[in-house]
Amino acid sequence: MDAFRKEANKLKGQLEELENQNKLLTSFRKQTKATQDAGRAFREAEDKVANLGREMGKTDKPTKAMQAAMAKARRDVKKANTEYNRQREALAKLRGSMSSAGLSTKNLKQQQAKLEQQLSETRTAFKRANESARQTARTLRNSNLKKTAKDAESASTSVGKLTRRFLGLAAAAGGLYTFKAKH
């Protein structure tokens, strides 16, 4: 039974490791998309500043609305740049975590498909090992109960035989005492 428990614990550890790797891959894919989106937003904000700059350059005297739009567009560029850098740092951190876990940042779809299959196989093996351990424990408990019942029955039979012998000895001793008292 200990062998089944050890196997189940080993499989549980493998399952947790595979699940963590799968989470890392999923997080990396999401973070890659978030970084790309932030980069796109940053470039669009820069393009807006460039377009507003060209418009303002075409006029001799830019209007207050144009100046306000330019100031807002510059703030938006700064904000988009900050967000893009934050997303890139998060992606770099995840890349390091993946490397530490032995995962590559290339061929993410293939790695994730392989991991999903390994997860499925490991889950199935874990369930089987766990169920085998439980079944063995139940069988052992049942066999111990049967053995205990059989031992109790044997003990009861032995006590019964012992009681009969004791009574026989007591009767014989009583008879001897009576016989000795008469003679």
Side-chain angles (χ1 to χ4, degrees):
M1 188 167 93
D2 285 341
F4 288 123
R5 280 196 181 130
K6 284 180 185 176
E7 181 65 19
N9 285 336
K10 178 181 159 193
L11 288 169
K12 186 177 180 183
Q14 288 175 347
L15 189 60
E16 288 171 356
E17 183 180 331
L18 289 171
E19 286 173 340
N20 287 337
Q21 288 178 354
N22 195 34
K23 286 177 188 174
L24 269 175
L25 283 173
T26 300
S27 294
F28 186 80
R29 288 177 73 177
K30 287 179 181 177
Q31 188 60 47
T32 298
K33 184 178 179 340
T35 303
Q36 290 169 344
D37 292 346
R40 190 176 308 107
F42 173 61
R43 286 185 298 282
E44 288 171 0
E46 283 184 317
D47 289 345
K48 187 173 182 178
V49 167
N51 288 338
L52 285 172
R54 279 191 291 278
E55 280 183 36
M56 288 176 72
K58 290 179 186 176
T59 64
D60 291 336
K61 191 163 183 151
T63 65
K64 286 190 180 204
M66 289 174 109
Q67 290 173 352
M70 178 59 93
K72 182 184 179 316
R74 285 186 177 144
R75 285 191 306 274
D76 289 347
V77 165
K78 187 176 180 178
K79 186 175 163 183
N81 186 35
T82 300
E83 179 61 17
Y84 179 52
N85 286 331
R86 191 179 70 76
Q87 295 293 343
R88 286 178 42 195
E89 287 173 12
L91 186 64
K93 190 175 179 181
L94 268 174
R95 189 174 277 123
S97 295
M98 285 182 58
S99 179
S100 296
L103 297 170
S104 170
T105 56
K106 309 289 182 218
N107 303 322
L108 293 177
K109 285 183 182 179
Q110 289 173 335
Q111 283 186 78
Q112 196 144 30
K114 182 181 175 184
L115 256 165
E116 289 290 340
Q117 181 168 354
Q118 288 175 331
L119 270 167
S120 177
E121 290 169 359
T122 305
R123 278 186 189 114
T124 301
F126 172 71
K127 285 177 185 173
R128 270 193 248 126
N130 204 24
E131 184 54 37
S132 292
R134 285 184 182 150
Q135 182 61 38
T136 301
R138 278 192 297 269
T139 302
L140 188 59
R141 275 194 306 270
N142 288 341
S143 92
N144 282 343
L145 287 174
K146 286 178 185 173
K147 185 179 181 313
T148 302
K150 191 183 254 186
D151 289 348
E153 187 179 323
S154 290
S156 177
T157 303
S158 294
V159 167
K161 286 179 183 177
L162 212 66
T163 302
R164 283 191 297 277
R165 283 187 183 165
F166 180 71
L167 289 174
L169 281 173
L176 258 176
Y177 181 73
T178 307
F179 178 74
K180 201 174 185 187
K182 287 184 182 182
H183 290 277

